[in-house]
C-alpha cells in the first residue's frame, strides 16, 4: 500500500505558487512606443508638463511659441496664449501644406487647437488620418508649455523685460536665410541687426538697402509689426518672422513679461463677440492693439494676417504667412499689398478679392476676420 505524504504535497504546492508569482512578475507590460503611436496617442509629456499637471510647476501668463518640429510631411510649430495658468488660445504658425497635406492640415489643425485649449496640456489625442501632423503638433505644443513653465515668452499683459540679447530663428526665404538678433532693455528693443541676410548678385544690393531700414523699423516699433521694404518683400517677410521668434525668446522678469514681444496681445476672452460684430464694425473695438489671425490653409499654402488697431480702426495690416513657391510668389507679391491696403481702407473683413488670387484672397479675408474677432471682445 502506497503511503500518503501530506507534508510533501504542501511543499510542492507552495513551490508551484512561488514559481507562478515569479513568472507573473517577469511579464512586464509592453512599453513599446510604437504600440502607443499605433493607438493614436501623442508622445508622453515631459517631466515639467507632468509636474504642472500635478500642481507642481505653474505656467506663467503670456504668449509662448513652441519649437519648430519636422515631420515626414512638413514642419509644425505651435503658439499658445496662457492666462490664469490655462491655455486660452492655440494656433499653428506652421503646418504641412501642398497637395493632400493642405486638406489634412486644414481638417486637423483646428481640432488640435481646440483640444489644446480644452486640455491645457499637451496630453491630447491624435487626429485620425493626421498622425504625423498630430505628433508634431504635440511636440511643439509641449515645448511651448515648457517655456510657459519657465516663464520665457511674451506677456499677455504689459510689463518690462529684463535686459537681454536674443537671436531669432533662421528663416529660409526664396533668396537665402534671414536671422535677426535683438537687444531688449526696459521692455523696448534698443538694438536690432541681421545676423544672416540674402547675399550674392542682386541680393547683396537689396539686403544692403533693406536691412538697415528693417533694423530701424524694429527699434522704432518695438514689435515685429513693421512694414515690408519696397523691392525686398521676401527679405522683409523673413526678417519679421525671425524678429518675432526673437521676441518670443525674451526672458520674462518674474511675473512681468517682455513688453516688446507682444505687449498688445489681447487678454483671454471672457465672452465671444457676436457673430455679426465684425460686419457691423463691432470687431474694430474702441480699444487698440495688435492681433494675429488664425492660420488659414488654402490650396496653394497657408495665409495668416496680423492687424494693428488704434482707436478702433485698422492702422496696419500685414500677412505673416502667404502662399509661396513657383508662380505663387508672383501672385502673393501682387495680391498681398492690395489686400493690406483694402483692409486699411475698409476697416473690417469685408474686402474684395484680388483678381487672379481668389484662394489667397479668401484665406486672407478669413484670417483677417479672425484677427478682428479677437479685437472685438
Amino acid at each position: 500500500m502506497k503511503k500518503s505524504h501530506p507534508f510533501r504535497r504542501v511543499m510542492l504546492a507552495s513551490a508551484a505558487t512561488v514559481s507562478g508569482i515569479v513568472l507573473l512578475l517577469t511579464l512586464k507590460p509592453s512599453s513599446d512606443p510604437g504600440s502607443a503611436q499605433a493607438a493614436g496617442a501623442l508622445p508622453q509629456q515631459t517631466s515639467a508638463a507632468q509636474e504642472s499637471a500635478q500642481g507642481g510647476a505653474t505656467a506663467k501668463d503670456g504668449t509662448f511659441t513652441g519649437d519648430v518640429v519636422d515631420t515626414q510631411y512638413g514642419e509644425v510649430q505651435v503658439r499658445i496664449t496662457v492666462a490664469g495658468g490655462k491655455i486660452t488660445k492655440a494656433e499653428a504658425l506652421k503646418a504641412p501644406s501642398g497637395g493632400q497635406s493642405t486638406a489634412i492640415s486644414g481638417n486637423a489643425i483646428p481640432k488640435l487647437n481646440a483640444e489644446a485649449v480644452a486640455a491645457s496640456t499637451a496630453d491630447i489625442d491624435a487626429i485620425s488620418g493626421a498622425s504625423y501632423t498630430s505628433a508634431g503638433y504635440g511636440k511643439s505644443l509641449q515645448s511651448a508649455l515648457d517655456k510657459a513653465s519657465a516663464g520665457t515668452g511674451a506677456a499677455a499683459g504689459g510689463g518690462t523685460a529684463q535686459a537681454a540679447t536674443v537671436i531669432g530663428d533662421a528663416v529660409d526665404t526664396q533668396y537665402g536665410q534671414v536671422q535677426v538678433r535683438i537687444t531688449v532693455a526696459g521692455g523696448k528693443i534698443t538694438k536690432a541687426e541681421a545676423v544672416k541676410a540674402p547675399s550674392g548678385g542682386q541680393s547683396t544690393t537689396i539686403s544692403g538697402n533693406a536691412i538697415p531700414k528693417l533694423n530701424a523699423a524694429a527699434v522704432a516699433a518695438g514689435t515685429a509689426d513693421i512694414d515690408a521694404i519696397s523691392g525686398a518683400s521676401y527679405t522683409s517677410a523673413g526678417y519679421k518672422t525671425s524678429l518675432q521668434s526673437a521676441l518670443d525668446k525674451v526672458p520674462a522678469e518674474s511675473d512681468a513679461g517682455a513688453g516688446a514681444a507682444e505687449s498688445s496681445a489681447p487678454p483671454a476672452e471672457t465672452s465671444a463677440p457676436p457673430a455679426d460684430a465684425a460686419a457691423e464694425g463691432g470687431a474694430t473695438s474702441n480699444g487698440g492693439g495688435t492681433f494675429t489671425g488664425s492660420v488659414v490653409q488654402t490650396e496653394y499654402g497657408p495665409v495668416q494676417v496680423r492687424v494693428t488697431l488704434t482707436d478702433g480702426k485698422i492702422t496696419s495690416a500685414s500677412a505673416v504667412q502667404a502662399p509661396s513657391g513657383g508662380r505663387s510668389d508672383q501672385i502673393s507679391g501682387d495680391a498681398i499689398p492690395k489686400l493690406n491696403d483694402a483692409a486699411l481702407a475698409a476697416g473690417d473683413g469685408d474686402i474684395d478679392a484680388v483678381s487672379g488670387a481668389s484662394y489667397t484672397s479668401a484665406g486672407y479675408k478669413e484670417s483677417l476676420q479672425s484677427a478682428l474677432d479677437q479685437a472685438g471682445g
Side-chain angles (χ1 to χ4, degrees):
M1 178 187 261
K2 231 175 184 184
K3 288 187 180 181
S4 176
H5 298 283
F7 182 72
R8 181 182 297 174
R9 284 201 298 272
V10 169
M11 290 297 292
L12 289 173
S14 299
T17 301
V18 171
S19 299
I21 292 172
V22 171
L23 180 61
L24 285 172
L25 290 176
T26 60
L27 294 176
K28 296 181 181 178
S30 174
S31 59
D32 181 12
S35 62
Q37 181 69 14
L42 293 182
Q44 291 185 342
Q45 292 175 286
T46 63
S47 58
Q50 292 170 349
E51 184 182 18
S52 177
Q54 295 169 5
T58 302
K60 302 293 190 300
D61 290 355
T63 301
F64 306 89
T65 302
D67 298 334
V68 176
V69 177
D70 289 320
T71 75
Q72 186 171 338
Y73 296 100
E75 294 180 336
V76 180
Q77 186 177 33
V78 180
R79 174 182 289 154
I80 59 172
T81 298
V82 177
K86 295 181 180 294
I87 298 175
T88 58
K89 181 182 177 183
E91 57 185 326
L93 302 183
K94 294 184 178 182
S97 62
Q100 192 178 1
S101 292
T102 299
I104 293 174
S105 293
N107 172 62
I109 294 300
K111 295 178 181 178
L112 291 166
N113 291 339
E115 284 192 31
V117 172
S120 276
T121 71
D123 186 19
I124 58 178
D125 293 330
I127 303 300
S128 177
S131 56
Y132 291 100
T133 297
S134 298
Y137 187 102
K139 288 180 181 178
S140 185
L141 172 59
Q142 185 58 65
S143 70
L145 287 167
D146 289 342
K147 293 175 184 177
S149 296
T152 57
T160 57
Q162 60 187 17
T165 298
V166 290
I167 300 178
D169 298 333
V171 178
D172 289 319
T173 74
Q174 186 172 343
Y175 297 101
Q177 288 191 331
V178 180
Q179 188 173 30
V180 180
R181 176 192 291 140
I182 59 171
T183 299
V184 176
K188 297 183 178 181
I189 299 176
T190 57
K191 183 180 180 182
E193 57 185 327
V195 181
K196 294 181 179 180
S199 61
Q202 193 178 1
S203 292
T204 300
T205 303
I206 293 173
S207 293
N209 172 61
I211 295 299
K213 295 178 181 178
L214 291 166
N215 292 338
V219 173
T223 71
D225 185 24
I226 58 178
D227 293 332
I229 302 301
S230 178
S233 57
Y234 293 103
T235 298
S236 298
Y239 186 102
K240 290 170 66 176
T241 301
S242 183
L243 172 59
Q244 185 60 61
S245 71
L247 289 169
D248 289 336
K249 297 175 183 178
V250 175
E253 186 176 77
S254 65
D255 287 339
E262 275 189 38
S263 59
S264 55
E269 291 184 356
T270 55
S271 60
D276 59 349
E280 297 178 1
T284 52
S285 66
N286 291 329
T290 299
F291 306 89
T292 304
S294 303
V295 176
V296 178
Q297 298 293 336
T298 74
E299 187 172 339
Y300 297 101
V303 179
Q304 186 178 32
V305 179
R306 177 179 291 141
V307 296
T308 298
L309 275 68
T310 304
D311 295 328
K313 295 183 179 181
I314 299 176
T315 55
S316 175
S318 59
V320 181
Q321 297 187 57
S324 61
R327 192 165 169 229
S328 292
D329 292 329
Q330 181 181 352
I331 293 174
S332 293
D334 173 66
I336 295 299
K338 294 178 181 178
L339 291 166
N340 291 339
D341 291 342
L344 288 173
D348 58 31
D350 186 19
I351 58 177
D352 293 330
V354 174
S355 177
S358 57
Y359 289 99
T360 298
S361 298
Y364 185 102
K365 291 172 65 175
E366 185 177 342
S367 184
L368 171 60
Q369 187 60 64
S370 71
L372 292 172
D373 287 342
Q374 294 173 37

